[in-house]
Amino acid sequence: MGSAMASNLQAAGHVLTVWNRTPEATEPLVSLGAKAARTADRAAQGEVLCSMLANDAAVRAVFLDSGLLDAMDAGTVHVNHATISVALAEELAAEHEKRGLDYVAAPVFGRPDAAAAAQLNMLVAGKPAAVERVRPVLEAMAIRLWPLGEAPQRATVAKIAGNFMLAAAIESMAEATALTRAHGVSAADFLDVMTQTLFAAPAYQGYGKLIAEQRFKPAGFTLPLGLKDVGLALAAGETARVPLPFAGVLRDSLLEALAGGDAELDWSALSLVAARRAHLDGAG
Amino acid sequence: MGSAMASNLQAAGHVLTVWNRTPEATEPLVSLGAKAARTADRAAQGEVLCSMLANDAAVRAVFLDSGLLDAMDAGTVHVNHATISVALAEELAAEHEKRGLDYVAAPVFGRPDAAAAAQLNMLVAGKPAAVERVRPVLEAMAIRLWPLGEAPQRATVAKIAGNFMLAAAIESMAEATALTRAHGVSAADFLDVMTQTLFAAPAYQGYGKLIAEQRFKPAGFTLPLGLKDVGLALAAGETARVPLPFAGVLRDSLLEALAGGDAELDWSALSLVAARRAHLDGAG
Amino acid sequence: MGSAMASNLQAAGHVLTVWNRTPEATEPLVSLGAKAARTADRAAQGEVLCSMLANDAAVRAVFLDSGLLDAMDAGTVHVNHATISVALAEELAAEHEKRGLDYVAAPVFGRPDAAAAAQLNMLVAGKPAAVERVRPVLEAMAIRLWPLGEAPQRATVAKIAGNFMLAAAIESMAEATALTRAHGVSAADFLDVMTQTLFAAPAYQGYGKLIAEQRFKPAGFTLPLGLKDVGLALAAGETARVPLPFAGVLRDSLLEALAGGDAELDWSALSLVAARRAHLDGAG
Amino acid sequence: MGSAMASNLQAAGHVLTVWNRTPEATEPLVSLGAKAARTADRAAQGEVLCSMLANDAAVRAVFLDSGLLDAMDAGTVHVNHATISVALAEELAAEHEKRGLDYVAAPVFGRPDAAAAAQLNMLVAGKPAAVERVRPVLEAMAIRLWPLGEAPQRATVAKIAGNFMLAAAIESMAEATALTRAHGVSAADFLDVMTQTLFAAPAYQGYGKLIAEQRFKPAGFTLPLGLKDVGLALAAGETARVPLPFAGVLRDSLLEALAGGDAELDWSALSLVAARRAHLDGAG
């Protein structure tokens, strides 16, 4: 994901210094002219630092535990594209502020192919001046920027809530198709109607197709990643005292899928869980 | 709803005899040339009988308890557009069969304005010959027919499952916006992103707008109707032993809304329940 | 259940006329001196009519649809021991009232062996004068009467709520033991602690033993009966607009058990569902 | 809690060196002859170290982050009475093992008054030799020891699962009484029956009384502590892939109570949440 995004920056004429925890991952970018940094802090010396790390632990390790923030020049803008917890987003905002660094949260909706085509929808939150400075960088990677205000965690919570809505859409199709199948209507026939009418949207059409075809490999987004993201929603809800009953159901369905050993499947495999509970046969 | 559908039949040149439990409701159709029947059985003497009644109780009263089916001519096709229970759909199919009557289930997706514009999406299940005979009638009311096989209850269960998906979409937006609002992002800002990107579909755009604007009156579809339809999903699940955890959550949220006295609100007012649980302020 | 209760009446010296939908079921009572009635209305000619039928449908068929109530003498007290819906309890109360008949609801907690030993806990609601008249009859069957006021449905709802608490106790042990087993503590070891300390009560000790020993046959109370009773709680909640999230979970767990074909098992087999979801091995 | 437990050790003739993060808390023990340590590591020089800290963060701070474990003598047995996460229990077991220290988990069921009276039920897991060495110490504080095997986390998970069962018992009474109240039966009348019959156990009688009397202050165990403990169950379930639908419901109910600002109330105030959802009046 990060590589695809960076290649668009390069294509737009930006000069890149790149770093990855797995150095080989940067080779394609280097072959196109990017400079490879041997350590993260060397990649943090430019005007803008874009980071795309896997989760809270990786972000914490690279930015907070390593001392990287202390090594950055005041005035540098850090743009964080990762989906992290609201709590960490708030902590990062404070830690950057303390050091005179600008921090912009810019999580994205879109799969790797959308990233490669610079078609990401990018949620953006940060101080207006900082956002303005990085706008050309962001626009090189996105089909559209969605400004969400000044506090970076606002973009973070919107991304988390959006992923929760995706998970809920999947579970809703999973349960609905278990119901129709039990009464003789295949998932394909039913979802064909729904995703061409009331639910004619990318989220439903994409996952609906996977559910109808029971095609869960290769995964676009695995069940453990789904569990992580539903966990971020639950954690954000816990901090702010927001009950989320659908998220609780999703957590249990994802755990049940994982208990069955399906860690490598796409999270649309939630439909297998719903079908198993009703003891339906394997085929759609 | 029924009037809007009937007016399209009339516009297409079909000769109508109409009946309604509230006789005045047929006046607009009569003024355009329809014949008003004083009793239901007189409206059932044509080649095709289209019925659109409110719920199981009404369908049972009119067709089973009254003896109407016994009064119909063999060969008549009864097209039932109502959203009823799977159990009643099966019972009706058997009762028609027994009397040599054809029975086609043809429930619709679409609000009254879509009905008036002949833009309904119509799910159709019944014996092929019967469906063929009534096709011109159905096409006069629908933008598209979606064939779902021979057993009438197949169209019924698909309609029920579709309404369940609508309810789940609303609850998913209700919880997601409670979460974003608690962290500083308004429902309007958040839903603006989602309904123009991953969830750019009629279901989300329509209900998303109502949630963002907190505009629950006048209702397009009231909370008690929502409870009725989620109840149909739960009942269909119970018959076929299909657990539906999202439907259980929906049931409780709808009951909570109704306990608060909001029976006249649109079912998108589920967002009020999610906000109240988090003790968020009234405004979006 | 009914036979066991009736035999205590007989033992207490009451003169019985008995009727059962399956005539042979009355033979043991007849051999001890009871008079067998060929029809239900002949069994309804005494001072007190005690009925113990399986469910709403049976009660409705025998008392309302058959005209039995019309055949009863004003002044007769009907004591209904069955667990029925709150809605039917209210309807029965009204129908008796209309005919000048006294109606007392007296559902019981206790298994058949408790019934045989006259050890039932009996919830009692009805007009004080009627309750006083039947007190000697009730006391012959119960270890204790629990008066709950004048409106018969009050005893009914208390019985339904009590059965819901039993189901919740079972599910709570089912989930707790799935959790401990997954971390190496057997259901037997864990429940041994709990049911001798904080949960040293008949409900937990009885069902805890069945769960620890995975002994679900022969059933004391089957899964379908559990589903019926949780359904009565959900229905009573729906009427009065009371959300019951635990009941929703119970409904789904019971359906999942039944989807697996376990209709003849005791409802403590909910523990199998919790274990299967976590993909634990069969043995405790 | 810790003081009450320690005073029983003192009463049994054990020589104590005591430490608390708030030094004044040790004064009563010191006045009875205990030696006060100025730092935690000085309290860790005896044969047996009993610790009772509030939560994971406190245990981690005192034992892992501070270097205390490194300062302890090989052969010392550390008995941890705190309710902590299964993950931390496993980590602690490994860290002790690595340093040749014995580690026994001995969490307890019982309120402070039970602790003062040496009436705690103590779950015990650890290597047999270590458990034998500390047995006289444990017996001085407990009414009974419940051995759960060698791996310390086994006692931890049993304690977590037990607290989950308590929470479920409270929610079950909360929902059941909302249902009965809505149909005219007070919580007091209903719980009076249940807690003297099927649920005649300390957990139900204690919390049932608080619910019936709506007496939530002063709290024996606050809502935030309940949320913490349900969180431990959910976390233990997540690690081992065990879905826990009741725990998800509990989490949401606790959050809803806390969103309403009831942080200082006893967790039996879950009954307020159930009643509010049904819009019942305040009084039982």
Side-chain angles (χ1 to χ4, degrees):
Chain A
M1 193 80 183
S3 307
M5 291 167 73
S7 66
N8 284 310
L9 292 181
Q10 211 157 22
H14 296 287
V15 180
L16 301 191
T17 303
V18 295
W19 175 82
N20 193 292
R21 288 182 295 168
T22 313
E24 307 78 60
T26 62
E27 281 167 16
L29 293 166
V30 170
S31 73
L32 293 166
K35 185 173 158 193
R38 267 185 306 166
T39 57
D41 63 307
R42 298 212 184 164
Q45 308 301 327
E47 288 169 78
V48 179
L49 166 62
C50 293
S51 67
M52 183 54 148
L53 290 154
N55 52 33
D56 272 29
V59 170
R60 186 175 289 285
V62 171
F63 285 97
L64 296 177
D65 297 346
S66 71
L68 175 58
L69 283 197
D70 296 318
M72 283 170 66
D73 296 327
T76 303
V77 186
H78 174 198
V79 180
N80 185 354
H81 298 292
T83 300
I84 57 173
S85 69
V86 171
L88 181 56
E90 291 175 351
E91 185 179 344
L92 284 169
E95 293 295 328
H96 282 76
E97 177 88 30
K98 216 187 280 182
R99 292 167 175 82
L101 299 166
D102 277 314
Y103 180 63
V104 172
V108 296
F109 287 113
R111 300 238 169 163
D113 56 344
Q119 298 285 302
L120 297 169
N121 277 288
M122 192 174 279
L123 310 177
V124 183
K127 294 219 180 97
V131 171
E132 277 321 300
R133 278 186 58 200
V134 300
R135 181 177 296 277
V137 171
L138 305 185
E139 285 177 341
M141 299 183 280
I143 186 172
R144 180 158 172 190
L145 307 186
W146 299 87
L148 284 167
E150 208 164 311
Q153 59 271 24
R154 291 167 56 120
T156 307
V157 77
K159 167 66 178 164
I160 290 170
N163 278 15
F164 157 73
M165 279 178 60
L166 282 174
I170 293 171
E171 172 72 15
S172 135
M173 287 189 279
E175 295 186 20
T177 55
L179 184 62
T180 64
R181 289 176 57 196
H183 287 283
V185 179
S186 74
D189 282 354
F190 173 66
L191 291 176
D192 191 36
V193 184
M194 302 313 295
T195 61
Q196 290 187 62
T197 58
L198 289 164
F199 294 91
Y204 282 84
Q205 290 173 335
Y207 290 118
K209 199 172 158 62
L210 302 183
I211 290 170
E213 300 175 359
Q214 302 225 21
R215 189 157 45 80
F216 307 122
K217 278 195 277 198
F221 192 75
T222 61
L223 287 162
L225 290 174
L227 183 62
K228 188 204 77 162
D229 277 6
V230 168
L232 293 178
L234 288 165
E238 186 160 333
T239 312
R241 303 326 198 188
V242 181
L244 296 172
F246 265 20
V249 170
L250 288 167
R251 179 188 169 282
D252 282 331
S253 295
L254 288 160
L255 283 177
E256 187 169 343
L258 292 170
D262 291 339
E264 83 293 357
L265 299 190
D266 189 81
W267 66 339
S268 50
L270 283 176
S271 62
L272 293 179
V273 174
R276 257 187 240 144
R277 284 177 185 152
H279 288 252
L280 299 174
D281 290 338
Chain B
M1 193 80 182
S3 306
M5 292 167 72
S7 66
N8 285 309
L9 292 181
Q10 209 156 23
H14 296 287
V15 179
L16 301 191
T17 303
V18 294
W19 176 81
N20 193 291
R21 289 182 294 168
T22 313
E24 307 78 60
T26 62
E27 282 168 16
L29 294 164
V30 170
S31 72
L32 293 167
K35 185 173 158 193
R38 267 185 306 167
T39 56
D41 61 307
R42 298 215 182 160
Q45 309 302 328
E47 288 170 78
V48 179
L49 167 61
C50 293
S51 67
M52 182 53 147
L53 290 154
N55 51 35
D56 273 30
V59 171
R60 184 175 291 285
V62 171
F63 285 96
L64 297 177
D65 297 346
S66 71
L68 175 56
L69 284 197
D70 295 318
M72 283 170 67
D73 296 328
T76 302
V77 186
H78 174 197
V79 181
N80 185 354
H81 299 291
T83 301
I84 58 172
S85 69
V86 171
L88 181 55
E90 291 175 350
E91 186 180 344
L92 284 170
E95 293 296 327
H96 283 76
E97 178 88 31
K98 215 186 282 180
R99 293 168 174 82
L101 299 167
D102 277 313
Y103 181 63
V104 172
V108 295
F109 287 114
R111 300 239 168 161
D113 56 343
Q119 299 284 303
L120 297 169
N121 277 287
M122 193 175 279
L123 310 176
V124 183
K127 296 218 179 96
V131 171
E132 278 321 299
R133 278 186 57 202
V134 299
R135 181 179 297 278
V137 172
L138 305 185
E139 285 178 342
M141 298 183 280
I143 186 171
R144 183 160 170 188
L145 307 185
W146 299 88
L148 284 166
E150 207 164 312
Q153 59 270 26
R154 291 168 55 122
T156 307
V157 76
K159 167 64 179 166
I160 290 170
N163 278 15
F164 157 73
M165 279 178 62
L166 282 174
I170 292 171
E171 173 72 16
S172 136
M173 287 190 279
E175 295 187 20
T177 55
L179 184 62
T180 64
R181 287 177 58 197
H183 287 285
V185 179
S186 74
D189 282 354
F190 172 66
L191 291 176
D192 191 37
V193 184
M194 302 313 294
T195 61
Q196 289 188 61
T197 58
L198 289 164
F199 294 91
Y204 283 83
Q205 289 173 336
Y207 290 117
K209 199 171 157 62
L210 301 183
I211 290 171
E213 300 176 359
Q214 303 224 18
R215 189 156 45 79
F216 307 121
K217 278 194 279 197
F221 193 75
T222 61
L223 287 160
L225 291 174
L227 183 62
K228 187 205 74 163
D229 278 5
V230 168
L232 292 178
L234 288 164
E238 187 160 333
T239 312
R241 304 324 197 189
V242 181
L244 296 171
F246 264 20
V249 170
L250 288 167
R251 181 189 168 282
D252 282 332
S253 295
L254 288 160
L255 283 178
E256 187 170 343
L258 291 170
D262 291 339
E264 83 291 1
L265 299 189
D266 189 82
W267 66 340
S268 51
L270 282 176
S271 62
L272 293 179
V273 174
R276 258 187 241 145
R277 284 178 184 150
H279 288 252
L280 298 174
D281 290 339
Chain C
M1 194 77 183
S3 306
M5 291 167 73
S7 66
N8 285 308
L9 292 180
Q10 210 156 24
H14 296 285
V15 179
L16 301 191
T17 303
V18 295
W19 176 81
N20 193 291
R21 289 182 295 168
T22 313
E24 307 78 59
T26 62
E27 282 169 15
L29 293 164
V30 170
S31 73
L32 293 167
K35 184 174 161 192
R38 267 187 306 168
T39 56
D41 61 306
R42 297 211 184 165
Q45 308 301 327
E47 288 169 79
V48 179
L49 167 61
C50 294
S51 68
M52 182 53 148
L53 290 155
N55 51 33
D56 272 30
V59 171
R60 185 175 291 284
V62 171
F63 286 97
L64 297 177
D65 297 347
S66 70
L68 175 57
L69 284 196
D70 295 318
M72 283 169 68
D73 297 327
T76 302
V77 187
H78 174 197
V79 181
N80 185 352
H81 299 292
T83 301
I84 57 173
S85 68
V86 171
L88 181 54
E90 291 175 350
E91 186 180 343
L92 284 170
E95 293 296 328
H96 282 74
E97 177 90 29
K98 216 186 282 180
R99 292 168 175 84
L101 300 166
D102 277 312
Y103 180 62
V104 172
V108 296
F109 287 114
R111 301 239 167 162
D113 55 344
Q119 298 284 303
L120 297 170
N121 277 288
M122 191 174 282
L123 310 177
V124 182
K127 295 219 181 95
V131 172
E132 279 320 300
R133 276 185 59 201
V134 298
R135 180 178 298 278
V137 171
L138 305 185
E139 285 178 341
M141 299 183 279
I143 186 170
R144 182 160 171 189
L145 307 186
W146 299 87
L148 283 167
E150 207 165 314
Q153 59 271 25
R154 291 168 57 120
T156 307
V157 76
K159 167 66 178 164
I160 290 171
N163 278 16
F164 157 73
M165 280 178 61
L166 282 175
I170 292 171
E171 173 71 17
S172 137
M173 287 190 280
E175 296 187 21
T177 54
L179 183 62
T180 64
R181 287 177 57 198
H183 288 284
V185 179
S186 74
D189 282 354
F190 172 67
L191 291 176
D192 191 37
V193 185
M194 303 313 294
T195 61
Q196 290 188 61
T197 59
L198 289 164
F199 294 91
Y204 282 83
Q205 289 173 335
Y207 290 117
K209 198 172 160 63
L210 302 182
I211 290 171
E213 300 175 358
Q214 303 225 20
R215 188 157 45 79
F216 306 123
K217 277 195 279 197
F221 193 75
T222 63
L223 288 161
L225 289 175
L227 182 63
K228 188 205 74 162
D229 277 6
V230 168
L232 292 178
L234 288 165
E238 187 160 331
T239 312
R241 302 330 196 183
V242 181
L244 296 171
F246 264 21
V249 169
L250 288 167
R251 180 188 169 281
D252 283 332
S253 295
L254 288 161
L255 283 178
E256 186 169 344
L258 291 170
D262 291 339
E264 83 292 359
L265 299 189
D266 189 80
W267 66 340
S268 51
L270 282 177
S271 63
L272 293 179
V273 175
R276 260 188 237 143
R277 285 178 184 150
H279 288 251
L280 299 174
D281 290 338
Chain D
M1 193 78 183
S3 307
M5 293 166 73
S7 66
N8 285 310
L9 292 181
Q10 211 157 21
H14 295 286
V15 179
L16 300 192
T17 303
V18 294
W19 175 82
N20 192 291
R21 288 183 295 169
T22 311
E24 307 78 59
T26 62
E27 281 168 17
L29 294 164
V30 170
S31 73
L32 293 167
K35 187 175 157 189
R38 265 186 307 166
T39 56
D41 63 306
R42 297 214 184 161
Q45 309 302 326
E47 288 170 78
V48 179
L49 167 61
C50 293
S51 67
M52 183 52 148
L53 290 155
N55 52 33
D56 272 30
V59 170
R60 185 175 290 285
V62 170
F63 285 97
L64 296 178
D65 297 346
S66 71
L68 175 57
L69 283 197
D70 296 318
M72 282 169 66
D73 296 328
T76 302
V77 186
H78 174 196
V79 181
N80 185 353
H81 299 292
T83 301
I84 57 172
S85 68
V86 171
L88 180 55
E90 291 175 350
E91 186 180 343
L92 283 170
E95 293 296 327
H96 283 75
E97 177 89 31
K98 215 186 281 181
R99 291 167 175 84
L101 300 166
D102 277 313
Y103 180 63
V104 172
V108 296
F109 287 114
R111 301 238 166 163
D113 56 343
Q119 298 285 303
L120 298 170
N121 278 287
M122 193 175 279
L123 310 176
V124 183
K127 296 218 179 98
V131 171
E132 278 320 300
R133 276 186 57 202
V134 298
R135 181 178 296 277
V137 171
L138 305 185
E139 285 177 341
M141 298 182 281
I143 186 171
R144 181 159 171 189
L145 307 186
W146 299 88
L148 284 166
E150 208 165 313
Q153 59 270 26
R154 291 168 56 121
T156 307
V157 77
K159 166 66 179 165
I160 290 170
N163 278 15
F164 157 73
M165 279 177 61
L166 281 175
I170 292 171
E171 173 72 15
S172 135
M173 287 190 279
E175 295 187 20
T177 54
L179 184 62
T180 64
R181 286 177 57 197
H183 287 285
V185 179
S186 74
D189 282 353
F190 172 66
L191 292 176
D192 191 37
V193 184
M194 303 312 295
T195 61
Q196 289 188 62
T197 58
L198 289 164
F199 293 92
Y204 281 84
Q205 289 173 335
Y207 290 118
K209 198 172 159 61
L210 302 183
I211 290 171
E213 300 176 359
Q214 304 226 18
R215 189 157 44 79
F216 306 122
K217 276 194 280 197
F221 193 74
T222 62
L223 288 160
L225 290 174
L227 183 62
K228 188 204 75 161
D229 277 6
V230 169
L232 293 177
L234 288 164
E238 187 160 333
T239 312
R241 305 323 197 190
V242 181
L244 297 171
F246 263 20
V249 170
L250 289 168
R251 180 190 169 281
D252 282 333
S253 294
L254 288 160
L255 283 177
E256 187 170 342
L258 292 170
D262 291 339
E264 83 292 359
L265 299 189
D266 189 80
W267 66 340
S268 50
L270 283 176
S271 62
L272 293 179
V273 175
R276 260 188 239 142
R277 285 178 183 151
H279 288 252
L280 299 174
D281 291 337

